[in-house]
């Protein structure tokens, strides 16, 4: 297990894996959002999860609301793990972080990821500016409930609500102030995953990720809303691995049977 101040978590390290899958959480999310993926990934894939400060086992640390600072920190921690191919998966805010992380790796002379998988978010240049981070707590709660993914019971308990809203507001401030950094597009392929009923993005908007790379884009739509990931975990992981390399599923260990 990584130390508390590291930005990366490996819940079940697989040093002999052929590929590292680096997952970046949504606004308000933490590394535990992907913990359950360990049990359904083939043993050929090593799961690495980004842990933003201010939540979970980094709760006592000051949150970071600047995209450049987040990307710089994650790039530094990830560099030693690039001894084999890596794939970046980001959901919602995490998609934008993953995109800039891929470009930062390239700019440091490190390999681009084998593939970027962007989930539940418009292409970086298309994301409209937002003011949710400036709203009062009640409005922020309404936004979380609109998107789903946050238990009403958590938001109804005053102490938990205050703690959650502190880092959620931080993340909204980060993503709503973010604009794509200058520089050339990626060369790796990009896959875009989304829920059919996501209020933030649809298939037409998802195809606009083609502006971010010369490597080609494909779009996969799953049943569900913005947080389709949890109920469709095995289906999502299977689709993800098949896009990386279908032969990864032929290693030892269980593998989801869903297509």
């Amino acid at each position: 297990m990584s130390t508390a101040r590291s930005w990366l978590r490996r819940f079940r390290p697989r040093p002999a894996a052929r590929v590292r899958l680096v997952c970046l959480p949504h606004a308000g999310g933490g590394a535990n959002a992907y913990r359950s993926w360990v049990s359904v990934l083939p043993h050929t894939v090593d799961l690495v999860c980004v842990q933003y400060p201010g939540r979970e086992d980094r709760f006592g640390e000051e949150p970071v609301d600047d995209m450049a600072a987040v990307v710089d920190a994650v790039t530094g921690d990830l560099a030693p793990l690039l001894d084999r191919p890596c794939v970046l998966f980001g959901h919602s805010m995490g998609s934008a972080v993953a995109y800039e992380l891929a470009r930062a790796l390239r700019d440091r002379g490190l390999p681009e990821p084998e593939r970027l998988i962007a989930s539940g978010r418009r292409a970086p240049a298309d994301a409209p500016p937002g003011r949710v981070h400036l709203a009062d707590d009640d409005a922020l709660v309404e936004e979380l409930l609109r998107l789903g993914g946050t238990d009403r019971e958590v938001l109804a308990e005053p102490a938990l609500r205050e703690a959650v809203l502190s880092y959620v507001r931080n993340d909204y401030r980060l993503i709503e102030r973010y604009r794509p950094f200058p520089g050339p597009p990626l060369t790796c392929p990009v896959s875009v995953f989304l829920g059919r009923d996501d209020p933030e993005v649809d298939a037409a908007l998802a195809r606009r990720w083609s502006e971010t790379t010369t490597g080609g884009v494909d779009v996969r739509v799953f049943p569900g809303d913005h947080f389709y990931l949890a109920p469709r975990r095995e289906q999502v992981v299977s689709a993800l691995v098949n896009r990386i390399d279908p032969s990864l599923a032929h290693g030892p260990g269980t593998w989801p049977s869903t297509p």
Side-chain angles (χ1 to χ4, degrees):
M1 179 65 69
S2 304
T3 61
R5 298 194 68 83
S6 170
W7 285 69
L8 304 179
R9 301 290 177 270
R10 295 168 73 196
F11 299 113
R12 192 184 301 168
R14 293 169 174 167
R18 289 163 47 193
V19 173
R20 299 202 198 278
L21 172 63
V22 182
C23 292
L24 297 102
H26 58 280
N32 281 328
Y34 299 105
R35 180 187 284 269
S36 66
W37 284 25
V38 174
S39 64
V40 292
L41 279 166
H43 286 205
T44 48
V45 179
D46 184 33
L47 180 65
V48 181
C49 303
V50 171
Q51 184 72 295
Y52 309 128
R55 69 216 68 198
E56 295 180 1
D57 64 346
R58 301 188 71 186
F59 183 76
E61 298 179 46
E62 191 70 23
V64 179
D65 63 5
D66 177 73
M67 177 69 83
V70 170
V71 169
D72 184 66
V74 177
T75 302
D77 280 2
L78 185 59
L81 296 179
L82 298 179
D83 57 334
R84 66 206 66 196
C86 86
V87 171
L88 303 183
F89 178 97
H91 180 62
S92 198
M93 179 186 83
S95 294
V97 181
Y99 169 64
E100 293 298 354
L101 174 61
R103 300 169 82 204
L105 292 172
R106 176 197 62 198
D107 293 347
R108 290 194 185 188
L110 297 166
E112 278 190 17
E114 293 291 297
R115 180 178 294 266
L116 168 65
I117 303 176
S119 168
R121 186 166 177 83
R122 301 181 190 188
D126 290 346
R131 298 178 60 83
V132 173
H133 70 280
L134 299 174
D136 62 24
D137 285 355
D138 289 342
L140 189 52
V141 166
E142 286 302 313
E143 173 68 7
L144 295 179
L145 295 176
R146 180 181 74 87
L147 293 175
T150 304
D151 291 337
R152 287 180 178 272
E153 292 78 9
V154 169
L155 297 173
E157 205 287 315
L160 281 176
R161 168 178 157 133
E162 181 180 2
V164 168
L165 291 187
S166 66
Y167 58 78
V168 168
R169 188 181 299 281
N170 171 88
D171 292 355
Y172 269 87
R173 185 163 52 245
L174 183 156
I175 198 60
E176 290 182 337
R177 297 188 306 180
Y178 158 72
R179 296 295 178 270
F181 301 154
L186 297 169
T187 61
C188 66
V190 175
S191 295
V192 188
F193 290 1
L194 67 147
R196 184 180 297 121
D197 301 316
D198 192 328
E200 298 293 292
V201 61
D202 58 24
L205 287 169
R207 285 190 284 271
R208 294 271 301 159
W209 277 88
S210 61
E211 300 296 321
T212 67
T213 184
T214 61
V217 168
D218 71 277
V219 176
R220 172 67 185 270
V221 181
F222 296 85
D225 56 17
H226 189 64
F227 286 99
Y228 71 92
L229 293 175
R232 298 285 170 178
R233 180 189 62 174
E234 291 193 357
Q235 190 177 1
V236 170
V237 170
S238 183
L240 182 156
V241 173
N242 283 322
R243 276 160 177 74
I244 301 169
D245 180 354
S247 72
L248 291 169
H250 299 157
T254 60
W255 172 243
S257 58
T258 50

